[in-house]
Amino acid sequence: CYLCCLSRTYILDIAQKARQGINLPDGGEYIYVFSLEAKPLRKYVLDHYVHGISVDEQKGVIIATDVNKDEPILEYSINCM
């Protein structure tokens, strides 16, 4: 199971910056991988803030969307992250 998440620090930053009138990028910067028994297996740290993800384990890639960029489709190699 793959899960795209916001960090707690980022959520606190969003609240603080919003009070100051500053907007931060939308999306999460981490992807967590869990076993079917909900045990954490891996954490990916991304170089973009992404919203949606699709995992193709046969090709070994994670495809993600970044709504903060003009070219919003990103592809990450599962093995190289």
Side-chain angles (χ1 to χ4, degrees), residues 5 11-13 16 18 27 36 41 43-44 49 57 62-64 68 72 78:
C5 295
I11 292 170
L12 294 175
D13 286 344
Q16 181 182 21
L36 293 177
L41 300 175
K43 174 184 173 183
Y44 295 102
Y49 290 89
E57 291 181 332
I62 296 173
I63 300 168
N68 303 295
I78 292 173

Side-chain angles (χ1 to χ4, degrees), residues 4-18:
C4 182
C5 295
L6 298 172
S7 71
R8 181 178 184 278
T9 303
Y10 183 71
I11 292 170
L12 294 175
D13 286 344
I14 290 172
Q16 181 182 21
K17 299 293 184 187

Side-chain angles (χ1 to χ4, degrees), residues 18-78:
R19 286 190 293 273
Q20 297 171 354
I22 301 170
N23 292 324
L24 293 175
D26 290 329
E29 58 191 332
Y30 303 112
I31 296 175
Y32 295 95
V33 182
F34 296 91
S35 71
L36 293 177
E37 293 80 29
K39 294 181 181 175
L41 300 175
R42 187 154 189 188
K43 174 184 173 183
Y44 295 102
V45 180
L46 306 177
D47 58 350
H48 288 82
Y49 290 89
V50 301
H51 275 273
I53 61 170
S54 175
V55 179
D56 187 332
E57 291 181 332
Q58 289 182 334
K59 292 183 180 179
V61 296
I62 296 173
I63 300 168
T65 56
D66 179 352
V67 298
N68 303 295
K69 302 290 180 193
D70 290 335
E71 296 184 25
I73 307 299
L74 306 168
E75 188 172 297
Y76 296 97
S77 172
I78 292 173

